[in-house]
Amino acid sequence: MAAKADMEKIVSLCKRRGFIFPSSEIYGGLSSCWDYGPIGVELKRNVKEAWWRAIVLERDDVVGLDTAIMMHPRVWAASGHIDSFTDPLVECKSCHLRWRADAVEGTKCPKCGGELTEPRMFNMMFKTFMGPVEEEASIVYLRPETAQGIFVNFENVVTTSRKKLPLGIAQIGKSFRNEITPGNFIFRTREFEHMELEFFVKPGTDKDWLDYWVKERFEWYVKLGIKKENLRVRQHGKDELAHYAKDCYDIEYLFPMGWAELEGIANRGDFDLTQHSKHSGKDLSYYDAEAGQKYIPYVIEPSAGVDRSVLAFLADAYDEEEVQGEKRTVLHLHPFLAPIKVAVLPLSRNEKLVPLAKEVFKRLCSTFVTDYDDSQSIGRRYRRQDEIGTPYCVTIDFESLEDRQVTIRDRDTLAQIRVPIEHLEKVLEAKLKGEAFDASPLWATRQK
Ligand code: ATP
């Protein structure tokens, strides 16, 4: 039976199995900061890899970039973040807690009932000082989005890549926002990772490209296993649009706490390149040789959060089922995202089994992210692998010593097939790429 994942269960699974830990936990944790553990780091890497492949490697009209977190402060004046990246806040006169004005009903503090101040604008960029002197002139900001690193390099990339428009520039990296109301686990944090694409197009073609990217990005989540019914697209109302946006769509996901933004796809028009042209004095227009025209390109920006995507993939994959009278928790993660692809499990720590199991592990670990586990009962080891979403377990038993065959167990159907060790890589590779587990495979026999 499918169980709707609740946040507490996900947080607890993440802690128990090494996906995500509270940051600085031995000091009591730091509000809204989280660390990815040995299993979580693999999941996060896979999410980024899937995005990079779909956006950069499998297309010929997008190139990648990796820019610095700290940028010239004038970038943020040009981009509008110094003036407009603000939220209206109210402060409690008694306990001094600050609240987002739109999140508080009435005039009393939700915590202590104290009187609230009038709303004041609060800038969400983190500030620090560059160099040894802490003075106004040495203020730098931690970037609140990776996009500006792309805009200021537009000319460098166009010149060096020798590509024509439409051209996308993609970047994955950390962003920082001093959010007033972080929370819901890794949904909203003050330090997070962005996956952003700035897709530069000829003005007039921007509407079509916006539609195109909304569809592409929606399909990306579906291809990676998110159920369609848990996704929806919502267009921003005129009053919601960010200061740079002409139009914007959110892809929303039905998170455990309800529908919320997973990714935003905005039409930024020529806002950013125009602003940087003005503020830097450098003409960032593009010469379109085919049209014989010079113009400032328009930009379509699909902007997704790595951490928010990780949460969506976890929530969507989470399930509790009953198997032979016992409850099991399982993550039905897409094999590409699964942190561990194969677990090698000798039936026991018997001295005859272990060398063969180690041999199998050695064969597999250079091709697949492979786990080796010989502790506790085989049932418990299966449960552990189910909980971290490992698609296949390979079991070595006493018969394996005789016939050099091993059993592969499928996480989702629990079906088992027996395969000669020499064909294991080929069989696993085919299964991980989506070959049906029960299809009569070339080298395998079905186990009852
Ligand atoms: P929200 O309205 O949820 O604060 P936003 O509209 O400000 O998000 P964008 O600036 O469009 O967010 O950023 C694009 C994506 O980056 C979001 O859809 C989300 O996945 C991610 N993101 C933004 N802010 C955070 C955050 N504080 N923590 C984690 N992910 C974030």
Side-chain angles (χ1 to χ4, degrees), residues 338-354:
I340 309 272
K341 312 296 180 205
V342 191
V344 174
L345 314 174
L347 199 61
S348 72
R349 279 192 181 146
N350 180 286
E351 58 184 23
K352 289 204 177 108
L353 287 182
V354 169

Side-chain angles (χ1 to χ4, degrees), residues 85 100 124 144-145 177 179 186-196 236 244 248 250-251 261-265 301 303-309:
F85 196 57
R100 258 168 81 148
M124 293 203 291
E145 59 178 31
R177 294 180 181 182
E179 299 276 4
I186 52 171
F187 176 82
R188 193 190 306 283
T189 51
R190 296 192 170 109
E191 170 182 348
F192 62 97
E193 260 183 297
H194 255 141
M195 305 185 279
E196 295 195 299
H236 278 209
Y244 50 75
C248 187
D250 284 347
I251 297 179
E261 174 181 340
L262 176 58
E263 165 161 356
I265 299 128
E301 176 196 65
S303 171
V306 177
D307 314 80
R308 223 176 258 190
S309 303

Side-chain angles (χ1 to χ4, degrees), residues 13 49 84 108 150 390 399:
L13 172 71
E49 180 62 21
S84 311
K108 299 280 176 236
I150 297 177
T390 306
E399 256 181 83

